[in-house]
Amino acid sequence: MHLRRIAAILAASFTLGLPAWAQQLIASATSPDQLIGVEVQVDGGGKLGYTVKRRGKEVIGLSRLGFNLANAQKLDGGFSLREQKLSEHDGTWEQPWGERQFVRNRYRELRVAVEQKNKGNRRLDIVFRIYDDGIGFRYEFPAQPQLRNVEILDELTEFTVAQPATAWWIPAGELPGLEEEVRKAPLKEIGIANTPLTLRLDDGTHIAFHEAALVDYASMWLRKVDGQKLRAMLAPSSYGPAVVRQGAFTTPWRTVQIADSAAGLAMSDLILNLNEPNKLGDVSWVKPSKFVGVWWEMHLQSGTWNAGPKHAANTANTKRYIDFAAKNGFRGVLVEGWNQGWESDWGHGGADFSFTRSYPDFDLPGLAAYAKSKGVRLIGHHETGANVPAYEKQMDAAYKLYAKHGVDSVKSGYVHEAGSALFTGRDGKPRYGHYDSQDGVRHFLKAVTEAAKYRIAIDTHEPVKDTGLRRTYPNWMTREGARGVEYNAWGNPPNSVDHEAKLVFTRMLSGPMDYTPGVVNLVGADGKVFNSTQAKQLANFVVIYSPLVMAADLPENYEKYPAAFKFIRDVPTDWADTRVLNGEVGEFVTIARKARGSQDWYLGAVTDGQARSLVLPLGFLEQGKRYTAEIYRDGDGADYRTERRFDLVTETRTVTSGDTLQLKLAPGGGQAIRFSPQDRK
Ligand code: NOJ
């Protein structure tokens, strides 16, 4: 390098009186329990960085903060501190529905306002919220004439994991979206990952990277740049910078949840806490509940979505499901394939769908009235084939039609090939791109807020990942966003035996999942078998949380297995409290949940391919009360690899909070228990 160039670089790096490599601490704060500490630093070149320690030990080593812009010089380097502000918050808020009714939100907030003196005095605030269970931080762009239009090419935010770690991850930007099997690998071997990205550090600490409140911004992927260092990578736009915003705005929160154990991680409410409170007002019309549906038969290929001799969404068949729902206490009946347009190659276009015209053999008004007379509601379905412009044109009329017929929840679908969802771009033109690009993020929320106008709740399939927006928009009840049970219908291959034990500590950290549990027949299309015992199918209702839950199997299969079906009929979907009692990522997990408005507790435990005996103290039950425990367990020889997968033993016992149970789980097995107080006072 030329000497004069070296001299120039050196001069630039001493702008703050420090050499480029030297760090100056400009702000710091700790969590309320003082165990987590964040330090914000600048180097001699004015580049911003932060570190996170827990119990004095580094969890996140020095990691950069900043942006590359498309329309202006980068927001990186030349920064100096303008001011810092420390504040505290401690409050409890109530969820209209959820894993627990009351959520404590206690944190310390550190606002670090910085300025680029040598680049037109551009300003940026970085706001950290430090909780006992991790941290969140976001960038806040103040309104400033020198940066009115912000075109973000890339975020420079880094997460330098301070210890060797094992990662559970799925690739980002690939087919089929969020529906990859969760992979396990040393952190240094992963590629571009989606979040939540869960890590177990070598000292046993568990951490998860994710984001909260993803609104009008591109989804954050994580790219490994060097050793253990990850860098934010914004889901790209196909026709411009990843993010374009005007005026003052904030980015989503970048989050690092930290716990001593996997179970601790799954207990964290940090993502919800970082979201804005409910903006919809009265949401008593959002009803947590279970449903059945004209669905599994299409995945088994005994029925079709499109018209023809096997058309499943016909009036007579739908009546059969309505009768079954009414008889067994299900609130909803989902009907897929009721609307015209399924004849086309809808996974590659979706342009032919009508969201208001039924097939001639499906009598929407008649069926809605029939359902109502039986105390049941139809659940709507909008498969869009990820053709968002076509859907948005019809969306208002579609919701209006459903609202007219008392349909108060809609499952939507965005089946497409990675990178080829069609959106209305920022420029108003139809644009192909990633489902989790800024355009995608805008649409998914728009569908939810438009639905709210008609008091309709949404269950999104092939969705953008959950970032806790259900707190702000409680009608965004659930979504898919991982491999659901449908993969077991298709085979090639079915979901792995450790799938649920991985999901709880990865995907489920982001929020509820429409997993479609409870296929007690354990068989997919063409006789393909599940990697599960029957008891595990029951446990999944407790383990995989969703306020809206589909009991996915065919009515005739539930009639065939009445003992198993009893638990599915009994289990609620809305909880006053949740305790993750034990677990290791991808190995096993036990969760107990207290039903809302009741004194009953429900427990679910699942294991991977290993048989396990879990010792379980019942200390979560109320002291001094006697409970009847209705136990649904794997029989002694049960095994997911043999016909013994159907061995389900049901038994009852009297227990108290002082008792300890031994849960015996078969290979690929599980256990479900309902605890009801014997004296209901
Ligand atoms: C994929 C969804 O996950 C599934 O539940 C649905 O049946 C099909 N798309 C058709 O919309």
Side-chain angles (χ1 to χ4, degrees), residues 98-173:
E99 301 94 320
R100 54 184 61 83
Q101 190 160 359
F102 297 101
V103 180
R104 186 163 183 197
N105 189 9
R106 184 168 76 128
Y107 59 84
R108 289 199 178 141
E109 182 176 292
L110 175 65
R111 176 175 291 273
V112 185
V114 292
E115 174 170 38
Q116 277 181 317
K117 286 238 168 69
N118 59 352
K119 290 184 187 165
N121 294 335
R122 296 183 307 175
R123 285 182 284 126
L124 190 64
D125 285 8
I126 301 134
V127 178
F128 288 85
R129 288 203 181 152
I130 310 165
Y131 291 79
D132 293 347
D133 56 351
I135 68 148
F137 63 90
R138 71 179 181 193
Y139 301 92
E140 299 192 5
F141 284 74
Q144 47 191 328
Q146 61 286 43
L147 200 58
R148 257 202 204 106
N149 200 27
V150 183
E151 297 188 2
I152 301 175
L153 211 51
D154 226 340
E155 218 178 281
L156 302 175
T157 312
E158 289 176 349
F159 305 91
T160 308
V161 180
Q163 290 175 42
T166 304
W168 285 269
W169 71 291
I170 57 168

Side-chain angles (χ1 to χ4, degrees), residues 217-233:
Y217 202 84
S219 183
M220 180 181 76
W221 304 345
L222 291 173
R223 178 176 45 179
K224 204 179 50 42
V225 281
D226 176 25
Q228 303 251 125
K229 187 182 293 232
L230 302 163
R231 182 173 299 154
M233 180 179 173

Side-chain angles (χ1 to χ4, degrees), residues 179 295 298-299 305 334 336 342 346 381-384 411-415 461-462 480 486 490 514 516:
E179 299 182 8
W295 181 76
M298 277 84 96
H299 292 273
W305 283 278
L334 166 73
E336 294 196 4
W342 290 86
W346 51 270
H381 187 236
H382 291 163
E383 173 56 63
T384 68
K411 169 176 169 180
S412 54
Y414 294 84
V415 172
H461 277 235
E462 299 81 36
E480 192 181 40
E486 62 195 19
W490 312 334
D514 184 10
T516 60

Side-chain angles (χ1 to χ4, degrees), residues 296-297 300 302 485 488-489 516-538 541 551-562 564-565 568 640 642-648:
W296 188 235
E297 51 192 284
L300 293 179
S302 55
V485 168
N488 295 335
T516 60
V519 175
V520 292
N521 203 34
L522 303 176
V523 187
D526 307 322
K528 294 178 185 107
V529 292
F530 285 36
N531 289 319
S532 170
T533 66
Q534 200 176 65
K536 190 191 221 179
Q537 289 298 308
L538 307 185
F541 281 88
D553 213 340
L554 307 174
E556 49 269 41
N557 290 338
Y558 288 133
E559 272 151 11
K560 188 166 151 199
Y561 296 106
F565 188 44
I568 296 175
Y640 78 103
T642 71
E643 275 304 298
R644 307 284 304 268
R645 65 180 72 87
F646 291 100
D647 282 9
L648 176 78

Side-chain angles (χ1 to χ4, degrees), residues 96-99 283 285-291 331 408-410 448 456-460 466 469-471 473-480 507 511-514 545-549 573-574:
W97 47 266
E99 301 94 320
V283 284
W285 46 274
V286 177
K287 303 280 189 206
S289 54
K290 285 175 297 191
F291 62 98
R331 183 175 187 270
D408 59 5
S409 47
V410 171
V448 168
I456 287 175
I458 296 294
D459 165 6
T460 320
D466 197 344
L469 285 167
R470 62 177 154 139
R471 180 175 177 195
Y473 305 99
N475 70 320
W476 202 348
M477 287 188 90
T478 191
R479 73 188 78 200
E480 192 181 40
R507 156 69 180 82
M513 176 178 178
D514 184 10
Y545 169 65
S546 183
L548 210 54
V549 178
T573 68
D574 194 20

Side-chain angles (χ1 to χ4, degrees), residues 369-391:
Y370 183 72
K372 192 170 172 210
S373 75
K374 299 232 157 188
V376 171
R377 305 249 176 172
L378 293 179
I379 294 186
H381 187 236
H382 291 163
E383 173 56 63
T384 68
N387 188 330
V388 167
Y391 181 41

